[in-house]
Amino acid sequence: MLHLRLITPADRTTEVVRLVERTVGTTHLAVVPGAALHPAGDLVMCDVAREAGDELIDALRGLGIDECGSIAVENIDLSLSQRADEAEREAPGEGADAVIWEQLADASHEESTLSVTYIAFLSLATMIAACGVVLDNAILIVGAMAVGPEFGPLAGVCTGLVQRAPKLLWRSLVALVMGFTAAMAITVGFSFLMAWLGQFDVAQLEAARPNTSFIYQPDTFSLVVAVLAGIAGMLSLTSSKSGALVGVAISVTTVPAAANAAVAFSFQEYRQAWGSAEQLLLNLLGIALAGTLTLVVQKILWSRRHRVPRTG
């Protein structure tokens, strides 16, 4: 269930209440006249089944409530109410399959913003992965994958394409390109430092690395895994199964490939650097393509669901 908290001008409250009452899957409607001060208006609250949430939010935006008032949406983790159970049964479709597009766009916007924190996490992940590739340590590689925040901008790219949001698309592309550029540059400096301290050596990079050699040797499975990860990642976002993102993060080699390219470049091992760059681009492309197609399919399937108007 979702909880909606609305601020509506007094002359629009009746219209909003009627809209909520007409929407299948809503319950727990409450109105507090004159409760809002900035902006001035009434406070309207209701709960709505997730599968009916996108329809209601779209209708509220159609009334201009987001411009003259406010629309706030929260996830309800626990609701002990027979009426809430009935509302979920009345709403068509399954909540796990529903996509709240405004919520997805907002999350993608937040996660795809180029910030100091984003660059810091990506750089730290890449440096951890650099240690992993030099030591041929799979545990460090997995840890670096989990730390990397790059799926946020990738989700922003997919959402921007499907929702035709050029600003979100551009912001996400900038975060991806600038983020990886900065992280790889920092990792090159880190590699020089570790070599100066005697911790990194070209012999370690050129040695047989059974645990990490796949990072600079892209093949068909690289694309297959990236596509599957892209599908899983977008499904985890749209269904609010955020825990699945950890599994997605450790299934693709974006961060390790960037790290191997940076370390190889610092030791002038251009063959490995190029192979790692191919691996990186292949993974980014596969995830973006699969994520976009997943959203397209979800949008088509959900738009065809049967909508039953509420009577009474």
Side-chain angles (χ1 to χ4, degrees):
M1 295 287 289
L2 300 174
H3 177 69
L4 269 64
R5 186 178 68 254
L6 314 173
I7 295 178
T8 65
D11 60 344
R12 308 293 297 277
T13 300
T14 300
E15 188 176 12
V16 169
V17 169
R18 288 175 179 171
L19 171 62
V20 173
E21 290 177 334
R22 289 197 308 267
T23 303
V24 175
T26 59
T27 186
H28 303 153
L29 175 61
V31 180
V32 185
L37 299 179
H38 301 288
D42 301 331
L43 177 63
V44 179
M45 296 174 288
C46 70
D47 295 341
V48 58
R50 182 178 176 85
E51 50 269 44
D54 191 61
E55 177 183 358
L56 179 57
I57 293 170
D58 280 346
L60 289 168
R61 294 196 67 186
L63 294 177
I65 302 303
D66 56 323
E67 298 175 357
C68 62
S70 171
I71 303 173
V73 183
E74 301 173 347
N75 288 310
I76 299 177
D77 295 326
L78 177 64
S79 179
L80 302 178
S81 166
Q82 182 177 352
R83 184 65 193 92
D85 295 338
E86 293 174 356
E88 288 187 320
R89 286 194 295 268
E90 291 173 1
E94 294 294 332
D97 297 332
V99 181
I100 310 299
W101 291 101
E102 293 296 334
Q103 192 176 54
L104 177 62
D106 183 70
S108 299
H109 178 279
E110 181 179 351
E111 295 295 328
S112 63
T113 301
L114 184 64
S115 63
V116 174
T117 301
Y118 168 77
I119 293 178
F121 270 112
L122 190 55
S123 299
L124 289 170
T126 308
M127 287 187 284
I128 294 172
C131 296
V133 298
V134 171
L135 298 175
D136 193 35
N137 189 313
I139 295 177
L140 291 177
I141 295 298
V142 171
M145 290 176 173
V147 172
E150 72 279 8
F151 192 80
L154 283 168
V157 169
C158 301
T159 305
L161 288 172
V162 174
Q163 291 295 89
R164 299 179 183 178
K167 291 184 178 179
L168 176 59
L169 176 60
W170 176 250
R171 182 184 298 107
S172 302
L173 288 174
V174 169
L176 274 178
V177 175
M178 297 301 293
F180 271 107
T181 300
M184 292 173 72
I186 292 172
T187 304
V188 169
F190 175 73
S191 181
F192 282 133
L193 175 63
M194 294 296 284
W196 181 72
L197 294 174
Q199 301 302 309
F200 282 8
D201 187 86
V202 67
Q204 295 172 298
L205 198 66
E206 295 176 340
R209 290 155 48 195
N211 293 321
T212 58
S213 61
F214 69 94
I215 293 172
Y216 60 88
Q217 296 175 343
D219 54 20
T220 303
F221 280 105
S222 300
L223 181 60
V224 170
V225 172
V227 168
L228 296 176
I231 296 172
M234 292 312 303
L235 287 176
S236 70
L237 284 180
T238 57
S239 62
S240 296
K241 303 295 184 181
S242 57
L245 282 178
V246 177
V248 173
I250 64 176
S251 65
V252 290
T253 56
T254 49
V255 166
N260 200 87
V263 175
F265 182 82
S266 67
F267 284 110
Q268 299 181 352
E269 282 289 325
Y270 299 123
R271 180 183 61 84
Q272 279 198 36
W274 177 247
S276 301
E278 287 183 335
Q279 181 78 273
L280 174 61
L281 293 174
L282 195 63
N283 276 270
L284 292 176
L285 179 62
I287 294 173
L289 178 62
T292 301
L293 291 177
T294 299
L295 288 179
V296 169
V297 171
Q298 286 183 293
K299 193 169 188 176
I300 293 174
L301 292 178
W302 193 251
S303 66
R304 292 179 177 177
R305 77 190 191 281
H306 180 58
R307 297 183 179 182
V308 181
R310 174 176 289 183
T311 59

